[in-house]
Amino acid sequence: MNAEFVHSALQQLADPADAAHAQRYFKTGPGQYGEGDRFLGIRVPVLRRLVPRFVGAGLPVLLELLHSPWHEERLFALLLMTTRFARGSDQEQAAVYAHYLANTQWINNWDLVDCSAHAIVGAFLERRDRTVLRDLAVSPSLWERRIAIIATLHFIRRHDFADCLAVAGLLLHDRHDLIHKAAGWMLREVGKRDQAAAEVFLRAHCRVMPRTMLRYAIERLPQAARMAYLQGRIEPLPSPPS
């Protein structure tokens, strides 16, 4: 199985109407975050249903697909990489992880990051040093910064919040709305599992957090609490006695 075989199969599923919608939805115009991206017009559920058929494709094939100018081919490559990682030996997982971080310039839209960062980067780092997340969080690349925060979803689901809170702290002054949304989303995920842990972070930083980040983080709180945060009426929690 080679990349051209997969490419031909995906081309047969292309829908020009869906492609035109996706070009607008993913902000592909001049100066927008997805500038120049090209779409075949294949919906995500369709791609997911194809994964079992092509799961045997080798890593070189997946990397060739990841370098495709077509968005859905890059997305499909990442869906296959996450499946390969989940089923792989330690050696195979290390190879997927290394190639993932070596090719972040192709993981260049929010959906591509969101379907893969926690499943590959987060999962690989579960029992390893996580310093790389701090490095990614201060990267000039928008997508590497998003990878840093989305990767922490793997830990959050295991009630391990320290890395999410640390990375969110590094992103407090980020200028991009896609980072504000991602960080707020992850903080909300922390709050679902441990509102007290989220509350410490929110109380300390709500006055300097980007508005979008704050709104996403407090979305599930009661209205009175949300308004208190948005109006800056929430006081930081007192420091524990030394």
Side-chain angles (χ1 to χ4, degrees), residues 10 47 50 53 55 57 59 63 65 77 80 85 87 101 103 111 126-128 132 141 171 190 209 232:
L10 295 181
L47 292 174
L50 286 177
R53 176 180 171 190
V55 74
L59 194 53
L63 292 174
L65 290 171
L80 290 170
F85 182 96
R87 298 180 180 182
L101 288 187
N103 288 275
D111 62 321
E126 182 177 352
R127 296 181 301 277
R128 295 176 174 86
V132 65
S141 164
L171 298 174
V190 171
M209 289 172 69

Side-chain angles (χ1 to χ4, degrees), residues 202-222:
L202 292 172
R203 284 175 176 259
H205 301 295
C206 63
R207 291 172 180 78
V208 298
M209 289 172 69
R211 204 68 164 173
T212 298
M213 187 188 298
L214 179 60
R215 286 186 180 277
Y216 270 58
I218 64 176
E219 191 175 77
R220 291 170 57 89
L221 295 181

Side-chain angles (χ1 to χ4, degrees), residues 21-39 71 74 105-114 141-143 145-146 175-179 181 216:
H21 171 75
Q23 299 246 169
R24 295 188 298 272
Y25 183 71
F26 286 100
K27 309 297 184 186
T28 62
Q32 295 181 310
Y33 62 74
E35 180 176 358
D37 206 353
R38 299 166 64 190
F39 288 79
H71 185 100
R74 300 198 304 281
Q105 70 269 34
W106 302 100
I107 307 169
N108 57 353
N109 216 310
W110 58 264
D111 62 321
L112 305 181
V113 172
D114 294 1
S141 164
L142 162 64
W143 307 117
R145 301 198 304 277
R146 188 161 176 121
R175 296 185 177 183
H176 206 289
D177 187 62
L178 286 177
I179 299 300
K181 291 177 178 178
Y216 270 58

Side-chain angles (χ1 to χ4, degrees), residues 18-242:
D18 281 347
H21 171 75
Q23 299 246 169
R24 295 188 298 272
Y25 183 71
F26 286 100
K27 309 297 184 186
T28 62
Q32 295 181 310
Y33 62 74
E35 180 176 358
D37 206 353
R38 299 166 64 190
F39 288 79
L40 293 168
I42 308 172
R43 301 191 178 193
V44 175
V46 175
L47 292 174
R48 290 192 182 278
R49 287 196 294 271
L50 286 177
V51 167
R53 176 180 171 190
F54 294 102
V55 74
L59 194 53
V61 173
L62 303 188
L63 292 174
E64 189 172 344
L65 290 171
L66 186 59
H67 296 172
S68 170
W70 297 105
H71 185 100
E72 291 90 343
E73 291 191 357
R74 300 198 304 281
L75 176 57
F76 192 53
L78 291 165
L79 294 175
L80 290 170
M81 287 174 74
T82 61
T83 302
R84 189 180 187 90
F85 182 96
R87 298 180 180 182
S89 64
D90 288 349
Q91 183 177 5
E92 289 170 327
Q93 289 183 345
V96 171
Y97 168 82
H99 283 298
Y100 185 93
L101 288 187
N103 288 275
T104 54
Q105 70 269 34
W106 302 100
I107 307 169
N108 57 353
N109 216 310
W110 58 264
D111 62 321
L112 305 181
V113 172
D114 294 1
C115 78
S116 59
H118 64 289
I120 295 176
V121 178
F124 184 77
L125 296 177
E126 182 177 352
R127 296 181 301 277
R128 295 176 174 86
D129 180 81
R130 302 174 188 175
T131 306
V132 65
L133 296 179
R134 277 66 166 180
D135 297 335
L136 292 169
V138 297
S139 168
S141 164
L142 162 64
W143 307 117
E144 290 190 349
R145 301 198 304 277
R146 188 161 176 121
I147 287 169
I149 189 65
I150 298 298
T152 69
L153 181 59
H154 181 85
F155 316 135
I156 294 168
R157 287 173 172 170
R158 288 152 181 79
H159 294 264
D160 179 356
F161 310 127
D163 291 282
C164 173
L165 300 178
V167 171
L170 293 173
L171 298 174
L172 282 172
H173 302 290
D174 200 283
R175 296 185 177 183
H176 206 289
D177 187 62
L178 286 177
I179 299 300
H180 305 166
K181 291 177 178 178
W185 170 25
M186 291 302 103
L187 291 169
R188 186 173 72 240
E189 291 297 318
V190 171
K192 285 182 186 178
R193 295 159 177 85
D194 187 338
Q195 186 55 44
E199 194 91 352
V200 171
F201 185 93
L202 292 172
R203 284 175 176 259
H205 301 295
C206 63
R207 291 172 180 78
V208 298
M209 289 172 69
R211 204 68 164 173
T212 298
M213 187 188 298
L214 179 60
R215 286 186 180 277
Y216 270 58
I218 64 176
E219 191 175 77
R220 291 170 57 89
L221 295 181
Q223 183 177 2
R226 292 200 308 272
M227 293 307 300
Y229 272 111
L230 291 170
Q231 294 169 4
R233 294 187 283 106
I234 293 284
E235 294 298 325
L237 293 172
S239 301
S242 55

